[in-house]
Amino acid sequence: MELTQLRYFMAVADSLHFSRTAEVLHISQSALSMSIARLERELGVKLFERAGRTVRLTDAGFRLQQKLIPALAAVEEARSELLALSEMEQKPLEISVEVMDFAEEFLMHFRQDCPEVRFRQTFDVRDTAVERFACGKTDFCFSYEPFDLPGVTSTLLQTDRVLLLVHRDHPLANRDAIYLEEVSDQPFVTMGPAYGFRRWTDQLCFQAGFRPNIYYEVCDLQSITRTVETGQAVGLICRSTWAQNQIFHIAEQSGDFPLRMLPILNAHCVRRVYLCWPNGQEHNPNAARLIRYAKNQFHL
């Protein structure tokens, strides 16, 4: 028995009219009759009785019809589910990013591990990221804070200390560590208001009791370090961001390296990175791959 034969049988059993069914199926009446006759030979029973133009199901035909109703429904359901899975695998994951440097490093390594997964990033501030989640436009978010939304899972991936970057000739350059409020009157270089990094670093300063004196607004972390190298401002960076940049690591070994990294002693000066996703993402094959990768990498 072939699936097509069974579908032809069900169509005739429903209409009890061969020529009309053939028109609906876009095949010839003779091809339809031959398919039903072949099915009857394979089963060894008559499925239809014909008296002139009247067609009716035999007892065997009725029994087959009743068995096939749930069976073909299950086949169609499985087909629909597989098509949906295929569409999900073709669709890129929508990823909202607040923590730029962490997300870029994470996604680069994830792409090497799962090259078949496509994704599209948007760099968002907190309010925009929350709005995208609420509207169902985002599959994941790399966030500085957990999402306080129903139906959203927030998993802590990393806790990282914050460093103050100063020029080597800065008065504080020889200190082993500082409190953030000690640079409350210093010119800062940071990213523009459109970036999550800016909101996060502003909050660090507010918690230390001052509003940062921002002289320069840039669009990437490399520009922060380049500005500090000129001696015109101080800036904030995370220890892992510094460690993952090989250029900094190599340059730091030379005696004429222009930057100094000062650990900040304030307890609140840590960066937490959360991976957030709507519940049920485990049913999306590509999303499930990303979740598994994160759990394996960070031993969750």
Side-chain angles (χ1 to χ4, degrees):
M1 287 187 296
E2 298 175 0
L3 185 58
T4 300
Q5 284 179 301
L6 298 177
R7 285 176 170 154
Y8 284 178
F9 163 76
M10 290 297 286
V12 176
D14 184 56
S15 69
L16 296 177
H17 201 291
F18 274 78
S19 61
R20 191 178 304 150
T21 302
E23 289 179 10
V24 171
L25 296 174
H26 302 291
I27 60 174
S28 66
Q29 183 174 341
S30 60
L32 177 61
S33 297
M34 289 173 61
S35 177
I36 297 298
R38 189 165 61 250
L39 178 61
E40 289 176 327
R41 285 196 300 273
E42 290 178 15
L43 295 175
V45 293
K46 294 289 289 182
L47 300 173
F48 296 99
E49 289 181 354
R50 305 187 195 188
R53 294 185 177 182
T54 302
V55 177
R56 71 177 186 84
L57 284 166
T58 63
D59 288 343
F62 178 77
R63 290 187 181 187
L64 180 60
Q65 181 194 41
Q66 297 306 303
K67 293 290 186 181
L68 286 180
I69 289 173
L72 291 181
V75 169
E76 186 58 33
E77 181 180 357
R79 174 179 172 276
S80 298
E81 288 180 1
L82 291 174
L83 284 174
L85 284 175
S86 176
E87 289 177 3
M88 281 191 228
E89 289 185 335
Q90 294 300 316
K91 182 182 176 183
L93 294 174
E94 299 288 343
I95 300 178
S96 177
V97 174
E98 283 189 88
V99 193
M100 292 174 58
D101 59 311
F102 180 94
E104 288 173 357
E105 184 80 3
F106 177 98
L107 292 173
M108 178 183 70
H109 292 294
F110 171 67
R111 189 78 175 84
Q112 293 170 352
D113 197 66
C114 300
E116 72 281 7
V117 179
R118 297 183 298 142
F119 48 83
R120 183 163 45 227
Q121 298 178 66
T122 58
F123 297 103
D124 298 318
V125 292
R126 178 74 175 180
D127 291 346
T128 304
V130 170
E131 182 181 347
R132 286 172 59 82
F133 253 87
C135 296
K137 295 180 179 179
T138 300
D139 296 305
F140 292 96
C141 181
F142 291 92
S143 172
Y144 288 103
E145 302 172 41
F147 273 53
D148 187 20
L149 291 173
V152 174
T153 297
S154 298
T155 299
L156 178 64
L157 298 185
Q158 185 190 72
T159 301
D160 198 9
R161 294 301 305 181
V162 180
L163 306 172
L164 181 76
L165 283 182
V166 300
H167 190 268
R168 66 183 176 189
D169 295 330
H170 193 279
L172 297 173
N174 293 323
R175 292 274 297 275
D176 292 330
I178 67 158
Y179 286 96
L180 188 56
E181 53 266 30
E182 293 183 70
V183 290
S184 60
D185 61 343
Q186 294 288 309
F188 269 81
V189 55
T190 186
M191 297 176 69
Y195 296 92
F197 179 89
R198 169 65 175 277
R199 178 181 180 276
W200 169 65
T201 54
D202 280 357
Q203 288 294 327
L204 294 181
C205 295
F206 295 157
Q207 286 181 256
F210 69 96
R211 181 179 295 276
N213 186 16
I214 296 170
Y215 269 49
Y216 301 96
E217 292 181 343
V218 295
C219 59
D220 57 60
L221 296 174
Q222 287 73 23
S223 296
I224 291 178
T225 59
R226 285 196 296 268
T227 303
V228 177
E229 284 179 15
T230 67
Q232 301 178 69
V234 300
L236 296 174
I237 194 170
C238 290
R239 186 178 296 279
S240 62
T241 306
W242 184 271
Q244 75 193 26
N245 194 314
Q246 290 301 309
I247 296 176
F248 293 157
H249 182 70
I250 294 169
E252 193 177 2
Q253 309 308 312
S254 66
D256 59 349
F257 188 53
L259 299 176
R260 296 290 183 270
M261 304 171 296
L262 303 179
I264 299 175
L265 297 172
N266 305 67
H268 74 275
C269 285
V270 295
R271 183 187 72 177
R272 294 180 177 86
V273 182
Y274 293 85
L275 179 62
C276 310
W277 66 86
N279 296 346
Q281 284 287 62
E282 295 82 355
H283 303 304
N284 178 328
N286 288 337
R289 290 186 182 100
L290 192 147
I291 293 170
R292 279 198 306 273
Y293 179 81
K295 289 181 176 179
N296 290 337
Q297 288 298 111
F298 297 94
H299 310 291
L300 303 176

